[in-house]
Amino acid sequence: MIQGIDYAAIAPPLILAAAAIGLLLADAFDVPRRALSLLSAGSLLAALIAVAALAAGERRATFCLPDGLRSGGPPSCSYVADGFTLLFQGIVLGAAVIVVLLSLREITDSKMPAGEYHFLLLAAVTGALALVAARDLVLLVVALETLSLPVFALAALRRYDGTASEAALKLFLVSVVSTAIMLFGISLVYGATGAMHLDRIAPALSGLDAGLDPVASVGSVLVLAGFAFKVAAVPFHFWAPDVYQGSPLPVAAFLSVVSKAAGFAGLAIVLALGLPAYGHVWGPVIAVVAALTMTLGNVLALRQRTPIRLLAWSSVAQSGYMLAPLAVGSHRLPEAVAATTAYVALYAVMNLGAFAVVIGFHRRTTLDDYRGLARRSPAAATALAFFLICLAGLPPGVMGLFAKVVVFRAAVAGGVTWLAVVMAINTVIGLYYYLAWAVRLFTPSPAGEHPEEGPGLPVRAAIAATAAGAVVLSAAPQIVLQTVSQVS
């Protein structure tokens, strides 16, 4: 059987895959580091232009089975470029451009091989782009591993650094276990339904024989567990703080935004298209996981004294908020997916901006070191305070408040009121440590503080870009919700 390929539909990941190989070859010929970084950023921008061009047209799909195999029904496609896919691809590519800007100084200071770094980064982004477009379980797993495997190497790329090697090993071990669990779940779903495409799994589960119901139920939960690792949800969360702390800071930013966004996109795709018939099974599981994730993340964030570990535990807590709308199960599932998508998009801007400032002032290793930052760097301090206020969900960070309202509304409308109460309590807990850090920025610095070098031009550009995005979205946060299309 010969399938036609729509190269326009797969243009974004195809551009990055070709660029990744080209950068690796260029590094072999001793191309300067800055030129490699420019080529990496240029390829990401080219892929972003391809996404914008696709967004201006109609829905596209490729790698499709012929109609005849479904008795005259519509073809089942493995790769779909619809509004949902293009929105997430835009988020991933935009965040990756910021990560490249943040990486320029890190590559020089840590003496990391630039060609290998950008090759691995683009390979991981290629996996993320394929993951958000996947509509069958095989492509989902392949894309998820294409995203995950390069990150192990990125985390350990600071050679002769024991902390980085430990972080990479922890990430690898947890990933292997979660992948094994997910593959077992996929095998159970395939055994029960005889299908791999999500649009075939859904009707098969709706009319499933009663004897196979336990098999499909267990399979659904195990598939969910595989995605729980990627989004750092309890109990697959414990890799996050140590990996964020040990990895190069731009890699930690990549994990907290790009990897998490792709993971939530994959989870939403599987639940909305493949497993809606078993919403009564995975809905309560997600509700419990969401409650545990946000509670544990916020409580442990209260005890942190370093900015990276605070952002790590905060990221775990934010995953709980993103999971909350999906706890409604099959009831009002499209609205729940839209709420999660909107929160992920807004979170990406907020968290990436906070990471950009932390990377710019990486010599300030504790929260107390940020005292008086407003006097030395008023623009950076104001930007960080604004990002923290957005993450806390307070005005003038309206985008953060809007994100919280969206997920609250989805949980209440879906009948999961108790989870909305848990979210309200956790939001109050989160206010404390976000505001405590923000207040430090404007309090007098300790006597005798030594002057430091400020962020370089690329980092300042990254801070300015994320701050501009946050201001625009705070002025009109409904832009995100209006661009969210139902996954298809």
Side-chain angles (χ1 to χ4, degrees), residues 188 191-194 201-217 277-278:
L188 293 179
T193 63
I201 291 174
L205 289 177
S206 298
L208 196 64
D209 183 80
L212 293 174
D213 183 70
V215 177
S217 298
Y278 276 69

Side-chain angles (χ1 to χ4, degrees), residues 12-98:
L14 198 60
I15 290 171
L16 291 190
I21 297 173
L23 284 169
L24 191 61
L25 293 175
D27 187 50
F29 292 93
D30 295 327
V31 174
R33 292 181 175 181
R34 188 163 294 275
L36 292 175
S37 299
L38 290 175
L39 291 172
S40 179
S43 64
L44 290 166
L45 290 173
L48 193 57
I49 292 172
V51 169
L54 287 170
E58 297 180 351
R59 175 185 183 273
R60 305 180 78 103
T62 188
F63 302 116
C64 303
L65 295 178
D67 299 359
L69 295 181
R70 297 192 66 194
S71 302
S76 296
C77 299
S78 296
Y79 187 103
V80 174
D82 58 5
F84 178 89
T85 295
L86 297 175
L87 174 62
F88 268 101
Q89 287 185 339
I91 294 171
V92 166
L93 290 169
V97 172
I98 300 298

Side-chain angles (χ1 to χ4, degrees), residues 100-118:
V100 170
L101 290 175
L102 298 176
S103 303
L104 294 176
R105 182 173 180 175
E106 181 70 28
I107 291 173
T108 302
D109 292 348
S110 301
K111 298 180 180 179
M112 295 188 298
E116 294 177 33
Y117 179 88
H118 288 293

Side-chain angles (χ1 to χ4, degrees), residues 204-431:
L205 289 177
S206 298
L208 196 64
D209 183 80
L212 293 174
D213 183 70
V215 177
S217 298
V218 173
S220 302
V221 173
L222 293 181
V223 171
L224 173 63
F227 282 105
F229 154 75
K230 183 55 61 182
V231 302
V234 173
F236 297 97
H237 69 286
F238 48 84
W239 60 269
D242 291 338
V243 172
Y244 283 31
Q245 185 74 40
S247 302
L249 292 181
V251 176
F254 181 89
L255 283 168
S256 74
V257 176
V258 177
S259 182
K260 189 184 292 289
F264 270 105
L267 177 62
I269 288 167
V270 170
L271 297 182
L273 297 183
L275 306 175
Y278 276 69
H280 62 284
V281 174
W282 51 258
V285 173
I286 290 181
V288 173
V289 169
L292 292 175
T293 300
M294 66 179 74
T295 302
L296 186 66
N298 278 319
V299 170
L300 290 178
L302 289 172
R303 305 182 58 186
Q304 305 309 312
R305 295 295 178 265
T306 63
I308 295 300
R309 293 190 73 87
L310 187 147
L311 288 175
W313 283 112
S314 162
S315 179
V316 171
Q318 296 288 349
S319 293
Y321 299 129
M322 298 174 201
L323 284 170
L326 301 177
V328 302
S330 56
H331 180 57
R332 303 176 69 96
L333 188 55
E335 291 88 343
V337 170
T340 293
T341 302
Y343 198 106
V344 171
L346 296 171
Y347 161 84
V349 178
M350 297 183 285
N351 213 55
L352 199 56
F355 263 102
V357 178
V358 170
I359 291 171
F361 296 91
H362 62 284
R363 294 183 181 178
R364 297 184 180 238
T365 56
T366 69
L367 294 177
D368 286 335
D369 290 340
Y370 280 79
R371 294 183 184 276
L373 181 63
R375 183 174 63 86
R376 294 183 178 275
S377 302
T382 302
L384 178 57
F386 184 62
F387 294 133
L388 294 174
I389 289 173
C390 287
L391 288 168
L394 291 176
V398 178
M399 60 183 287
L401 177 61
F402 179 78
K404 291 287 194 301
V405 171
V406 166
V407 294
F408 270 103
R409 184 176 61 187
V412 172
V416 198
T417 308
W418 69 269
L419 184 58
V421 174
V422 173
M423 279 194 289
I425 296 172
N426 276 279
T427 299
V428 175
I429 297 174
L431 289 177

